[in-house]
Amino acid sequence: MPLCPICEIKYDDWVSVANHIHELAKKNESSHIMWLNRNLETRETSVRNLADKLETFFDLKGKGLANWIREKFIQKFYSDKPHPLILAMQKPNRAVLLGYVLEHQHFLRNWVRVLSLIIAKTDKDDVARYELENIAVEFLGWRDKPSHYELLIRMGESLGMKRDEIFSTKPLPSTLSAINTWKRIGETKTWVETMASMHSLELVADRSLRTYGAKMHYFNPSILESEEYPQAVKDFLREGYEADEYHAEEALELVEKYSEELNLVEQVQVTVIKSFDAFSKYLLARLERAILIDSSVAKFLGGVVNEYYS
């Protein structure tokens, strides 16, 4: 049954959903207008045309939910206008990498807490095992390997920032807003929606996206062999680059399986798009932090951001 992708009211058909959105947009209701601008249509259109666009947007096209999520992620972050953070990561300087460290530490702390909510809510042992392993890899370390969190902090240290300074840096408002979105999802949504909203984000470093149409990798792979970057930077980037392909794929398979079993496909689709919007905001916060660290990068980053939104 079609849902309004913003307020999640159920309707009998897409025309009813479109009429609901159209009426609120005419009243300048900001959340519905922003959703249209971010995901679908920036110009005024008829109810019938909007209904067709909504139906097309959410149509799985017989490819399954996992492929739909992957396709929407590529459209959002890796299309002809890649996300500004992705562009900046093709040749990141010290400020961009420190922006990564200072904001991402808060993302990872929240990540494991939201995953714990999935474990608390699910009755599926395969899901619980998957999430427990994920928490260990991200936050505790796994099989004598340091955690992704520890590798991140070491990257910051290698760039000249002391550990205490990293830990004492509060998140920027955009990072905090995104974190609160994922907290609300974890606290108020089903575990399947939460799982989809979190693990779909791991697609950002999935190397296989190039075979599905992504225009570039998360970062230029030549960085991993470059002498321009400290070893700790390469160690952190390599870990995600090599792991997230498998993490994301396994998670999306579980999401697709249980979304169908529990009849939650439409809810998962809507929640995933909300998560993508929060992720975009969070990635921009990393660039905002980079500018605060080194104002000389503002001109480049400002141009990249303006091009993305043009």
Side-chain angles (χ1 to χ4, degrees):
M1 182 176 290
L3 298 173
C4 169
I6 303 93
C7 51
E8 301 183 41
I9 298 172
K10 293 183 179 181
Y11 289 92
D12 292 331
D13 51 51
W14 285 113
V15 171
S16 299
V17 176
N19 188 64
H20 158 79
I21 295 174
H22 194 264
E23 288 300 312
L24 288 174
K26 284 199 301 184
K27 296 176 182 177
N28 291 321
E29 199 288 316
S30 61
S31 62
H32 288 71
I33 292 172
M34 285 191 293
W35 191 95
L36 291 176
N37 290 342
R38 288 170 181 161
N39 300 293
L40 203 62
E41 178 66 69
T42 58
R43 293 172 296 179
E44 188 172 344
T45 186
S46 68
V47 170
R48 179 69 261 178
N49 191 36
L50 179 57
D52 291 342
K53 288 179 178 292
L54 285 164
E55 186 170 9
T56 299
F57 184 88
F58 287 104
D59 185 5
L60 298 182
K61 301 180 179 69
K63 298 177 181 178
L65 180 60
N67 282 324
W68 182 89
I69 291 172
R70 187 182 293 106
E71 178 184 287
K72 295 305 178 189
F73 190 90
I74 291 171
Q75 289 174 0
K76 182 83 170 178
F77 297 100
Y78 283 105
S79 64
D80 291 332
K81 288 185 179 181
H83 190 281
L85 188 278
I86 307 298
L87 291 174
M89 284 296 294
Q90 299 311 300
K91 191 173 175 58
N93 60 16
R94 178 178 179 272
V96 169
L97 291 171
L98 281 175
Y100 195 148
V101 172
L102 292 174
E103 299 308 306
H104 200 55
Q105 63 167 323
H106 301 291
F107 176 94
L108 287 181
R109 287 174 186 161
N110 182 67
W111 174 271
V112 297
R113 286 164 174 78
V114 175
L115 297 196
S116 72
L117 294 172
I118 299 171
I119 296 169
K121 289 184 175 183
T122 188
D123 60 350
K124 308 298 183 183
D125 289 344
D126 51 354
V127 172
R129 281 192 295 270
Y130 175 81
E131 298 299 1
L132 285 167
E133 180 179 328
N134 205 290
I135 288 171
V137 168
E138 294 291 346
F139 210 63
L140 300 175
W142 184 256
R143 295 174 180 169
D144 299 324
K145 285 187 175 183
S147 67
H148 290 179
Y149 184 75
E150 173 62 23
L151 290 173
L152 177 75
I153 304 306
R154 291 180 188 179
M155 178 166 80
E157 290 178 310
S158 76
L159 295 165
M161 187 167 282
K162 295 186 180 300
R163 201 168 268 245
D164 288 347
E165 185 179 359
I166 295 170
F167 292 150
S168 64
T169 302
K170 296 181 185 292
L172 289 173
S174 291
T175 295
L176 188 59
S177 173
I179 283 173
N180 286 335
T181 294
W182 293 312
K183 280 183 179 178
R184 285 194 300 272
I185 288 172
E187 291 167 355
T188 64
K189 302 293 186 182
T190 65
W191 65 262
V192 183
E193 290 168 88
T194 306
M195 189 176 192
S197 71
M198 300 309 291
H199 291 293
S200 60
L201 305 181
E202 292 182 302
L203 288 168
V204 73
D206 186 341
R207 289 178 291 176
S208 74
L209 289 191
R210 290 300 301 274
T211 65
Y212 292 96
K215 301 300 182 182
M216 59 186 66
H217 291 289
Y218 180 43
F219 59 87
N220 190 329
S222 67
I223 291 173
L224 300 178
E225 309 302 328
S226 173
E227 296 301 319
E228 294 182 43
Y229 298 92
Q231 187 60 45
V233 171
K234 293 184 279 189
D235 288 345
F236 173 77
L237 293 177
R238 179 180 288 107
E239 188 68 20
Y241 189 63
E242 293 177 350
D244 279 355
E245 176 179 354
Y246 307 104
H247 274 283
E249 187 66 32
E250 185 177 352
L252 292 182
E253 289 175 359
L254 289 169
V255 165
E256 181 169 309
K257 173 184 176 182
Y258 289 118
S259 294
E260 293 173 354
E261 180 179 306
L262 300 172
N263 195 28
L264 290 169
V265 172
E266 292 82 4
Q267 288 90 332
V268 167
Q269 288 179 288
V270 166
T271 302
V272 161
I273 296 301
K274 290 182 178 180
S275 180
F276 288 175
D277 286 341
F279 194 54
S280 178
K281 179 185 292 188
Y282 156 67
L283 294 182
L284 288 173
R286 289 194 206 167
L287 298 184
E288 183 184 348
R289 178 67 71 180
I291 292 171
L292 293 173
I293 293 168
D294 181 359
S295 61
S296 68
V297 303
K299 185 175 181 181
F300 161 71
L301 295 179
V304 167
V305 171
N306 288 337
E307 182 180 348
Y308 179 68
Y309 284 110
S310 65

